[in-house]
Amino acid sequence: MTLAKPIEWLGDRVRILDQTRLPQEEVYLELDNYRDLASAIRELKVRGAPAIGVAGAYAVALGALQIEARTKGEFLESLRGVVDAIGATRPTARNLFWALEHMRRVAQAIEDVAQTKAALVDEAMKIHAEEETATRKLSQFGAELIKDGFTILTHCNAGPLATAGYGTALGIIIRAKEQGKRVKVLATETRPLLQGARLTTWELKKAGIPVMLITDSMAGYFMRRGEVGCVIVGADRIAANGDTANKIGTYTLAVLARENNIPFYVAAPTTTIDPALSSGEEIPIEQRNAEEVTHIHGSAIAPEGIAAANPAFDITPHRYISAIITEKGVIRGNYGEGIKGIFRRV
Amino acid sequence: MTLAKPIEWLGDRVRILDQTRLPQEEVYLELDNYRDLASAIRELKVRGAPAIGVAGAYAVALGALQIEARTKGEFLESLRGVVDAIGATRPTARNLFWALEHMRRVAQAIEDVAQTKAALVDEAMKIHAEEETATRKLSQFGAELIKDGFTILTHCNAGPLATAGYGTALGIIIRAKEQGKRVKVLATETRPLLQGARLTTWELKKAGIPVMLITDSMAGYFMRRGEVGCVIVGADRIAANGDTANKIGTYTLAVLARENNIPFYVAAPTTTIDPALSSGEEIPIEQRNAEEVTHIHGSAIAPEGIAAANPAFDITPHRYISAIITEKGVIRGNYGEGIKGIFRRV
């Protein structure tokens, strides 16, 4: 399969595939200003935790290239504004803050401003390449858990689009197919923004993997009928104890999976893990605009003036998770110890 | 509050509120042909199990008035075709088949054709009046379970629109408010056809009850945060053991409620109970058109050619149900015995 390139560095600008226009149109945008890239992150033109991290790093690089500073001190002060603006786009995905921390550290390491700019561009490209490699590796680990003939239920979109790489949940499924296993996917549409209906189906169709679209409310029906071999989802942030923030509705799928004795897997690169947070209670949950719920494709679905809630993520407590699949290996059982072990090895 | 009149008998025709046009427009249709009313049921212009039962009875009455028969035998033969056509509209709601059985029995009781026609009209009006009374009574019983300050989560629409009466799940909530209790509602939008977003919010707004719209995938988030006092849903068919067919997604809410120690109530008139079916496994589940999932308001949400499933209902096993609220009382614990007891008293 030809992977879509959701983010590409073009030397002095970034080319992104506008994911809000999919699947109707494949529109690419070329952005040479960090503010435009920050807006693209906020507006979900680039989305998915690993892809947000990569885009955030490139945004810092773009911002750095734009800074006109006479001294390193001036440069760092301007860069702080750039980093803060990018960090303010979306609060939940750990990968964004991980990338910003790395970029900040690189900015401080070198004295010369021109060399710092070059180092920041290099670091962003390195982050991109490492995320790509990480998703390939974790897909390989995860594919071992997929049995021939499995129907896999997934939520939202955790494919190449979401990772600027090979994908996490979908990467595993695509890898299993490449291994010759017959796999099918049940894709939840993922209201409110329909990433499952729009993006997951689009990617799986390109990959030649049979996919059946369902509403979020149908997952339980198919699980109870015994038609689901396992559930695999991506993650936006994983706490030190394994509690996982992911797209709203993930917690529900985890509860349903356990109730029906179906393995529930979380797939994410280690950049999604936030070892500083002891549990999921500490993960900030993005609250988005009510209009994303009350309107679909610009058309109102509710009477005027009706209030709507729009938490974009929920927390799945670690006890519902059968395994966390990372590029460093598969963590099971005591997630606290498993995560510590992985970070010791990093 | 002024109740909407979703179905009204006008002597020789039926006036229905077209629920597919809500909340944008309040359009009433006057139908004098049973085939038109059958189409209206199939197309969800009239929907909700009790309302489908009432509409089915009126459709038989309309059909009977149209029959030109010289003998009672001829009349009954024509009527069989009418009843079969109405019974073929939607398979899951028990109330429809209950109403058709009652109408069939009345048709057989009298010899004179003109008198039979009059008796069928009377019977349909009686079924309507009895459903209205039943929903008022069960709402009174159910309101006792609502505590002051409760936030109640409901799914799909089980209000006056769905019952041609006072409502079941919403009837209880409205009654609780009339008793002076402060109540709030979390209404799931209920994909694919958005009855929660379109109809429940519309009815609650009219009733002056605060309502917050959520996507189906958000119910677990609010339950886990402790923000839900109880869940109340209607039902399309209840088996002899208490297993309940209701709108797709209901099973998921029941599992989530039990996981979070939240009472999960089913509210339905006894006409929804099908004592001939030993368990939910025997309840036929309507499979609707895939386009209801792949399109919203006529607009495609998925790439062309993507397959979609569309089971309209799911089965909630009785062990997840805290109580079944009927007009004959509240059934708890051993549903088999409780349902038998109610039918002995009928």
Side-chain angles (χ1 to χ4, degrees):
Chain A
M1 123 188 231
T2 328
L3 295 179
K5 277 199 181 161
I7 310 175
E8 211 175 345
W9 177 254
L10 300 177
D12 58 352
R13 61 198 193 283
V14 172
R15 186 168 180 261
I16 63 165
L17 173 56
D18 183 349
Q19 298 190 34
T20 63
R21 309 278 284 272
L22 290 173
Q24 280 79 16
E25 300 172 295
E26 287 184 40
V27 177
Y28 288 86
L29 308 173
E30 293 195 4
L31 310 174
D32 59 6
N33 186 306
Y34 82 91
R35 289 185 193 280
D36 294 338
L37 189 47
S39 297
I41 294 171
R42 193 180 301 108
E43 294 160 11
L44 312 187
K45 290 173 181 171
V46 183
R47 31 94 15 229
I52 291 171
V54 171
Y58 282 135
V60 174
L62 284 181
L65 293 180
Q66 287 174 301
I67 293 171
E68 294 183 15
R70 282 163 306 175
T71 64
K72 182 70 191 295
E74 270 183 33
F75 176 82
L76 282 180
E77 200 175 305
S78 295
L79 193 72
R80 199 174 306 124
V82 170
V83 169
D84 287 352
I86 300 163
T89 52
R90 300 197 65 199
T92 304
R94 165 63 186 157
N95 312 58
L96 175 60
F97 303 99
W98 179 91
L100 295 180
E101 277 162 36
H102 272 251
M103 296 298 279
R104 207 184 281 123
R105 225 173 292 156
V106 166
Q108 275 157 353
I110 306 162
E111 203 37 55
D112 181 72
V113 169
Q115 280 179 20
T116 302
K117 290 181 179 183
L120 285 169
V121 169
D122 284 352
E123 182 67 14
M125 292 176 71
K126 191 176 147 225
I127 287 172
H128 190 173
E130 283 178 357
E131 285 294 59
E132 215 280 333
T133 306
T135 56
R136 276 192 191 274
K137 278 193 189 158
L138 76 83
S139 294
Q140 179 67 34
F141 284 127
E144 304 301 320
L145 303 172
I146 306 299
K147 294 192 186 136
D148 185 38
F150 252 21
T151 294
I152 300 138
L153 191 144
T154 189
H155 187 53
C156 197
N157 172 263
L161 286 170
T163 61
Y166 191 73
T168 53
L170 292 195
I172 290 169
I173 295 166
I174 293 167
R175 190 74 197 93
K177 197 219 169 194
E178 288 171 353
Q179 291 174 343
K181 292 172 187 160
R182 286 159 301 176
V183 288
K184 282 189 291 191
V185 175
L186 277 177
T188 57
E189 62 176 7
T190 318
R191 276 281 287 150
L193 293 176
L194 300 165
Q195 292 91 338
R198 296 189 299 108
L199 308 177
T200 296
T201 58
W202 184 78
E203 290 192 320
L204 290 172
K205 195 181 170 188
K206 284 202 168 195
I209 294 172
V211 55
M212 172 88 85
L213 177 64
I214 60 174
T215 65
D216 303 316
S217 58
M218 290 174 194
Y221 173 90
F222 287 102
M223 288 197 214
R224 207 171 86 81
R225 287 168 64 97
E227 297 186 20
V228 176
C230 69
V231 179
I232 315 181
V233 296
D236 288 80
R237 195 184 296 219
I238 300 172
N241 69 345
D243 290 356
T244 294
N246 190 47
K247 179 59 55 201
I248 189 77
T250 301
Y251 162 67
T252 292
L253 297 177
V255 170
L256 285 168
R258 201 179 62 168
E259 192 72 11
N260 290 282
N261 296 312
I262 295 167
F264 180 88
Y265 300 124
V266 169
T270 51
T271 47
T272 302
I273 300 174
D274 191 347
L277 303 187
S278 62
S279 86
E281 301 305 310
E282 296 171 37
I283 301 176
I285 298 294
E286 180 177 8
Q287 303 288 332
R288 294 183 62 87
N289 201 305
E291 210 172 286
E292 292 179 350
V293 172
T294 57
H295 290 68
I296 299 178
H297 288 193
S299 170
I301 61 162
E304 224 183 284
I306 292 294
N310 193 10
F313 305 94
D314 60 23
I315 306 293
T316 299
H318 60 84
R319 67 179 182 280
Y320 296 100
I321 300 170
S322 310
I324 298 176
I325 301 159
T326 78
E327 79 280 15
K328 309 278 184 195
V330 176
I331 313 171
R332 287 181 185 273
N334 186 329
Y335 291 109
E337 282 308 309
I339 287 170
K340 258 191 220 154
I342 269 179
F343 277 88
R344 268 195 296 269
R345 273 181 281 152
V346 171
Chain B
M1 120 188 233
T2 328
L3 296 179
K5 277 198 182 164
I7 310 175
E8 211 174 345
W9 177 253
L10 300 177
D12 58 351
R13 60 199 194 284
V14 172
R15 186 168 180 259
I16 62 164
L17 174 56
D18 183 349
Q19 298 190 32
T20 63
R21 310 279 284 271
L22 290 174
Q24 281 77 16
E25 300 172 296
E26 287 184 41
V27 177
Y28 289 87
L29 309 172
E30 292 195 5
L31 310 173
D32 60 6
N33 185 306
Y34 82 92
R35 289 185 193 281
D36 294 339
L37 189 46
S39 297
I41 294 170
R42 192 179 304 109
E43 294 159 11
L44 312 186
K45 290 173 180 169
V46 183
R47 32 97 11 230
I52 291 171
V54 170
Y58 282 135
V60 174
L62 284 180
L65 293 179
Q66 287 175 302
I67 293 171
E68 292 183 15
R70 282 162 308 175
T71 65
K72 182 68 191 295
E74 272 183 35
F75 175 83
L76 283 181
E77 201 176 303
S78 296
L79 193 71
R80 199 173 307 126
V82 169
V83 169
D84 287 351
I86 300 163
T89 52
R90 301 197 64 199
T92 303
R94 165 64 185 156
N95 312 60
L96 175 60
F97 303 98
W98 179 91
L100 295 180
E101 276 162 36
H102 272 250
M103 297 299 279
R104 206 184 281 123
R105 224 174 289 156
V106 167
Q108 275 156 351
I110 307 161
E111 204 37 57
D112 180 71
V113 169
Q115 281 178 20
T116 302
K117 290 182 178 184
L120 285 169
V121 170
D122 285 352
E123 182 66 16
M125 292 177 71
K126 192 175 147 222
I127 286 172
H128 190 173
E130 284 178 358
E131 284 294 58
E132 215 279 333
T133 306
T135 56
R136 274 190 192 277
K137 277 192 190 162
L138 76 84
S139 294
Q140 179 67 35
F141 284 126
E144 304 301 321
L145 303 173
I146 306 299
K147 295 190 186 140
D148 186 38
F150 253 20
T151 293
I152 300 138
L153 190 144
T154 189
H155 187 53
C156 197
N157 173 264
L161 286 169
T163 61
Y166 191 73
T168 54
L170 292 194
I172 290 169
I173 296 167
I174 293 167
R175 189 74 197 92
K177 195 217 171 196
E178 288 171 353
Q179 291 175 343
K181 292 171 187 162
R182 286 158 301 176
V183 289
K184 281 190 290 192
V185 175
L186 276 178
T188 57
E189 62 177 3
T190 318
R191 275 280 289 150
L193 293 176
L194 300 165
Q195 293 92 339
R198 297 189 299 108
L199 309 176
T200 296
T201 58
W202 184 78
E203 291 193 320
L204 289 172
K205 194 179 172 191
K206 284 202 168 195
I209 294 172
V211 57
M212 173 89 84
L213 177 64
I214 60 173
T215 65
D216 303 316
S217 58
M218 291 174 194
Y221 173 91
F222 287 102
M223 288 197 214
R224 208 171 87 80
R225 286 169 63 97
E227 298 186 19
V228 176
C230 69
V231 179
I232 316 181
V233 296
D236 288 81
R237 196 184 294 220
I238 300 171
N241 69 346
D243 289 356
T244 294
N246 191 49
K247 179 58 55 202
I248 189 77
T250 301
Y251 162 68
T252 292
L253 297 177
V255 170
L256 285 168
R258 201 179 63 169
E259 192 71 12
N260 290 283
N261 295 312
I262 296 166
F264 180 88
Y265 300 123
V266 169
T270 51
T271 47
T272 301
I273 300 174
D274 191 346
L277 304 187
S278 62
S279 87
E281 301 305 309
E282 297 171 37
I283 300 176
I285 298 293
E286 180 178 6
Q287 304 288 333
R288 294 183 62 87
N289 201 304
E291 210 171 288
E292 291 179 351
V293 172
T294 57
H295 290 67
I296 299 178
H297 288 194
S299 171
I301 61 163
E304 225 183 283
I306 293 294
N310 192 9
F313 305 95
D314 60 24
I315 306 293
T316 299
H318 59 84
R319 67 178 181 279
Y320 296 100
I321 300 171
S322 309
I324 298 176
I325 302 160
T326 77
E327 79 279 17
K328 310 278 184 194
V330 176
I331 313 172
R332 286 181 187 273
N334 186 328
Y335 292 108
E337 283 307 309
I339 287 170
K340 258 191 218 153
I342 269 179
F343 277 87
R344 267 196 297 270
R345 273 182 279 151
V346 171

